[in-house]
Amino acid sequence: MPSEESDWKQALYEYVSIINEAALNTDARKLRDITDREHRDRLARRLQLTAQREAKGTMRSIRSEMRARIEKFNESKGEVVADVSIHLVRSMEQRKQPWMEERVERERLRFVRYGKGWLLDTVKPLGIERSADAYPFDEDEVHDPWDGEKKTAVPSMPYINPQALYGFKSKVYSGGSANDRYSNYGDISGEGGYGLNGYGGGYGAGYGAGYGQGITRRGIPYFREETVAYAERWWNEPNPGYEKFEVNCTNYVSQCLFAGGAPMNYTGRRPSGWWYKGYSGNNENWSFSWAVANSLQHYLGNPRALGLRAHAVSGPEALKLGDVICYDWDGNGRVGHNVIVTAITPEGMPLVNANTVSSRHRYWDYKDSYAWTEKTRYHFYHIADEF
């Protein structure tokens, strides 16, 4: 893919145009001008899996746009190495209902001189959704003091109030019926609306002045719409109230759950509970379950009487907004990625938000991820309606 221009950025522009056109048409033949064979094969495989998925249903891509941003680059004689973020925006449609999918992927590109122009030589994906965290403890030995014990739960207060801090008016609903016990909760704007799932009504005049007041005598409610609002606000930039990690997917999901009212279970011991306090000097003060993908899956999978609770469901169609999907990429029992459900397609399938590779309204199966394999296994968790 040589460029006739003297500026290597022209070669970058041509590369982005190629992969955008290939993605829009799910046509791997358009990738033939990419000289890095390994990367070309990665892209072709992803396109093939995406095409197979779309062929099975009525979901289709009607528009695709990619924007590249150069984060940094190093130029030497005859060579340029650049770290680039590529922001994908796709317009999707199903049953004549549209939605927008977004994803930001980071790549390291090497350009070399080719005659009077430049050639893209190699492409290395950065930030793939595979957990690199390794902690020196046996997760099977993790003990949660709340498991099976009756204790008084203290309401968690989210770090941010979506209504007060950024005026976000959510129009996405969990799809509960009129008989749902929480179907009269107001959205963040205090208005009615509709979502991708096409459900009208849903949330009504608001949920009152405080957590749990006038709502339930049994526990703290899970405000799914606040979870979604937080996930929408921070999907592509870190909340400065928390640390950001290189592998940030679970930290992000934990923040979303906490913003929806899930109470922290502070034990002061990293292998137990579900909690976050940040750094104290050089000490990391958060539980493994808060920030490590496999540990959060362990935490959600263990039954408990109080606090953040979930139960496994058989498939994605049983999930609602604010629920969690965990990904075991190699089918070996170790989870490497977690996401939060933020929308539902017209046919009842979840769309998710995530970090590490920042994603918004991405289709749940993640077959468009470089981390996905034929052995991938999923864990679907429905978060309790009250804690």
Side-chain angles (χ1 to χ4, degrees), residues 34-347:
I34 296 178
T35 55
D36 184 339
R37 181 175 179 178
E38 182 179 357
H39 186 57
R40 186 172 66 242
D41 290 345
R42 273 194 298 262
L43 291 170
R45 178 175 177 272
R46 180 160 71 174
L47 286 176
Q48 180 184 23
L49 292 170
T50 301
Q52 291 174 354
R53 181 181 68 197
E54 294 185 1
K56 293 179 181 178
T58 59
M59 183 176 65
R60 67 189 184 98
S61 175
I62 57 178
R63 187 171 183 271
S64 178
E65 176 184 347
M66 290 185 182
R67 299 188 295 268
R69 182 175 67 86
I70 300 170
E71 297 179 350
K72 62 180 181 179
F73 68 93
N74 181 39
E75 187 170 1
S76 58
K77 186 176 181 179
E79 177 183 281
V80 173
V81 177
D83 287 357
V84 176
S85 60
I86 299 176
H87 188 163
L88 165 68
V89 181
R90 291 206 306 170
S91 297
M92 306 297 296
E93 185 180 74
Q94 188 175 74
R95 294 183 180 177
K96 298 182 178 180
Q97 293 196 39
W99 71 90
M100 198 79 73
E101 175 193 350
E102 295 184 74
R103 188 163 70 243
V104 180
E105 296 184 329
R106 299 178 61 248
E107 297 178 344
R108 179 163 294 158
L109 283 61
R110 179 176 179 265
F111 300 90
V112 296
R113 276 285 186 183
Y114 186 84
K116 295 181 179 180
W118 290 85
L119 178 74
L120 176 60
D121 183 53
T122 58
V123 180
K124 178 183 178 182
L126 303 175
I128 296 176
E129 298 109 338
R130 281 184 175 271
S131 177
D133 294 320
Y135 289 93
F137 74 101
D138 185 351
E139 288 172 303
D140 292 335
E141 298 299 321
V142 170
H143 171 66
D144 180 3
W146 280 17
D147 291 353
E149 296 184 12
K150 298 289 185 180
K151 293 187 178 182
T152 301
V154 178
S156 67
M157 297 302 293
Y159 274 114
I160 70 166
N161 180 328
Q163 182 178 2
L165 290 190
Y166 55 86
F168 179 78
K169 293 187 176 183
S170 175
K171 295 296 183 185
V172 184
Y173 299 98
S174 60
S177 70
N179 294 324
D180 282 354
R181 64 182 298 150
Y182 299 128
S183 64
N184 62 339
Y185 287 178
D187 70 5
I188 291 170
S189 66
E191 303 170 357
Y194 61 92
L196 290 176
N197 49 21
Y199 289 89
Y203 296 85
Y207 49 73
Y211 289 85
Q213 294 183 5
I215 297 175
T216 175
R217 296 179 180 179
R218 295 201 300 119
I220 305 160
Y222 183 36
F223 292 112
R224 297 180 181 275
E225 193 170 270
E226 290 204 13
T227 296
V228 171
Y230 185 97
E232 294 283 84
R233 171 61 182 86
W234 299 105
W235 75 274
N236 193 28
E237 64 175 305
N239 181 345
Y242 296 90
E243 295 295 327
K244 182 181 185 295
F245 310 121
E246 182 178 354
V247 179
N248 203 57
C249 61
T250 305
N251 179 36
Y252 170 74
V253 168
S254 290
Q255 291 174 37
C256 294
L257 294 170
F258 184 55
M264 288 189 191
N265 175 13
Y266 177 73
T267 65
R269 298 182 61 251
R270 301 193 71 192
S272 66
W274 178 73
W275 53 275
Y276 177 95
K277 291 185 70 177
Y279 274 104
S280 175
N282 294 324
N283 296 322
E284 299 176 345
N285 286 328
W286 52 81
S287 64
F288 295 128
S289 60
W290 183 275
V292 182
N294 198 56
S295 297
L296 179 61
Q297 188 271 321
H298 275 242
Y299 192 84
L300 294 177
N302 286 332
R304 58 183 52 82
L306 294 171
L308 173 59
R309 307 189 323 279
H311 68 268
V313 295
S314 59
E317 66 281 353
L319 298 176
K320 294 184 178 181
L321 297 192
D323 287 342
V324 174
I325 304 176
C326 308
Y327 299 79
D328 173 1
W329 299 121
D330 298 313
N332 60 7
R334 186 168 185 84
V335 165
H337 188 56
N338 295 317
V339 302
I340 195 89
V341 177
T342 54
I344 308 294
T345 71
E347 292 188 349

